[in-house]
């Protein structure tokens, strides 16, 4: 799983929680680049806390992506990436 945070964000720290057999590293800092284990019907949830630059304005988009390892199958490749977009209100 990878998530490169926008340049207007700094001091990012994250946590991860697995459910239904999903596993991941418990926490870290900076951009996320972690191996996760996702058996059928499992999930992992990453939560990030960052400092946003005072000069930030407009919208902030963040995209997280998962890559399926060689030899594994993915019955729904359409859900391997997700983007969240929010309006910055300084």
């Amino acid at each position: 799983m990878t998530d490169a945070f926008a340049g207007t964000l700094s001091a990012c720290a994250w946590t991860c929680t697995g459910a239904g057999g999903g596993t991941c590293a418990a926490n870290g800092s900076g951009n996320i680049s972690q191996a996760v284990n996702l058996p059928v019907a499992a999930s992992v949830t990453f939560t990030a806390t960052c400092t946003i630059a005072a000069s930030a304005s407009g919208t902030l988009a963040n995209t997280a992506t998962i890559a399926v390892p060689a030899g594994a199958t993915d019955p729904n490749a359409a859900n391997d990436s997700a983007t969240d977009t929010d309006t910055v209100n300084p």
Side-chain angles (χ1 to χ4, degrees):
M1 204 296 284
T2 59
D3 190 344
F5 298 112
T8 55
L9 300 176
S10 63
C12 295
W14 52 265
T15 60
C16 184
T17 305
T23 58
C24 52
N27 57 56
S29 61
N31 292 330
I32 302 170
S33 181
Q34 295 293 313
V36 297
N37 182 29
L38 293 171
V40 173
S43 66
V44 296
T45 301
F46 284 87
T47 302
T49 303
C50 303
T51 300
I52 189 165
S55 60
S57 63
T59 58
L60 177 65
N62 183 58
T63 301
T65 304
I66 192 161
V68 178
T73 57
D74 183 353
N76 185 4
N79 68 358
D80 291 354
S81 181
T83 300
D84 177 69
T85 303
D86 295 289
T87 301
V88 176
N89 293 311

